Amino acid sequence: MKISHKQLEACRLSPKNWVASRQPGGGWASFGYKRALNLAISAFHDTNDIGVAVAKIDGYAKRFKDTKKIALLYEFLEDYAKWFAASGIISADSNVLVAYPIKGNWQLGGYISRVDYLQSGYRAVLFESIAPGWKNQLRMPLVQTAIAERYGRPATEVKVGFQEIDGNTLTDTRFSVAERAAAETEFSKIGTQVLKLWPKPSA
């Protein structure tokens, strides 16, 4: 069973409620404006061509009705491309799907918006608002370990953080060995609870 890193805090708060939300009629997430922007930015990094990214939004815009939000997609994409060109950041990858641990009945999944090359290793960046206390989110040390394993680097050489696309504010951190071990222990305990609560298939 896989849980998106975006859902982990809700599951951490109440595994029972999270399991209920995953059942038929429980409200699965739909494709939205933020996902469209993430995919357009990924296309920009894949091709280094803003025109390709704009064309992506052209296609996604057909799914949406709010003209103001559609206009913001184009605006944020243009601002991001300008920011990235001036930042000096080297992107190693984008829209990266993780699965951690690789084996087992309980995995952390979801997409990492961008992975940067750093002199000290790599940085995993999530395109989300920088919430107060974000360093306390259980997913962050787990993402650090997952990215380290994916790219074959020691976890001590990986940073994790957020970037707010509406202003391109970027922040990051690195978790210690003890913090990552504690996160893995808690994640495993949550998984045990979820698997006990998950409805058994009917005979």
Side-chain angles (χ1 to χ4, degrees):
M1 184 180 300
K2 189 178 292 185
I3 181 171
S4 168
H5 62 77
K6 291 185 178 182
Q7 300 167 4
L8 184 54
E9 285 304 301
C11 186
R12 186 186 196 185
L13 181 64
S14 176
K16 182 178 180 180
N17 288 346
W18 182 82
V19 168
S21 74
R22 298 300 91 194
Q23 303 312 304
W28 293 85
S30 60
F31 186 92
Y33 294 90
K34 290 182 179 179
R35 184 64 181 148
L37 181 59
N38 269 263
L39 291 175
I41 290 175
S42 180
F44 166 70
H45 284 300
D46 288 343
T47 64
N48 199 30
D49 186 337
I50 188 64
V52 173
V54 169
K56 283 283 187 182
I57 291 183
D58 289 342
Y60 298 141
K62 299 174 184 177
R63 306 185 184 198
F64 306 133
K65 296 180 179 180
D66 191 323
T67 55
K68 290 184 179 179
K69 288 185 178 180
I70 292 170
L72 282 175
L73 290 178
Y74 292 100
E75 182 180 328
F76 288 154
L77 175 61
E78 182 179 355
D79 288 347
Y80 176 87
K82 290 178 180 178
W83 169 85
F84 185 77
S87 70
I89 291 173
I90 301 173
S91 173
D93 214 339
S94 62
N95 199 39
V96 178
L97 182 63
V98 296
Y100 179 80
I102 299 300
K103 296 181 180 179
N105 295 326
W106 177 239
Q107 290 182 315
L108 184 74
Y111 289 91
I112 308 303
S113 304
R114 192 185 69 234
V115 177
D116 299 334
Y117 282 120
L118 302 175
Q119 288 186 343
S120 59
Y122 288 91
R123 173 172 58 206
V125 180
L126 304 176
F127 293 163
E128 297 181 28
S129 297
I130 303 170
W134 67 268
K135 293 180 182 179
N136 296 321
Q137 293 181 14
L138 182 59
R139 62 175 166 168
M140 301 310 288
L142 297 173
V143 167
Q144 180 178 334
T145 303
I147 290 297
E149 290 196 359
R150 182 182 178 91
Y151 293 94
R153 299 294 291 262
T156 53
E157 296 180 7
V158 175
K159 289 185 174 183
V160 290
F162 291 93
Q163 182 169 349
E164 293 182 334
I165 296 301
D166 58 355
N168 291 308
T169 303
L170 178 63
T171 186
D172 61 35
T173 193
R174 182 182 287 121
F175 294 92
S176 69
V177 173
E179 289 169 325
R180 296 196 309 276
E184 290 187 19
T185 298
E186 183 176 355
F187 182 67
S188 179
K189 288 180 179 178
I190 292 172
T192 298
Q193 289 180 276
V194 167
L195 292 171
K196 287 181 179 179
L197 291 166
W198 198 263
K200 302 297 185 291
S202 55

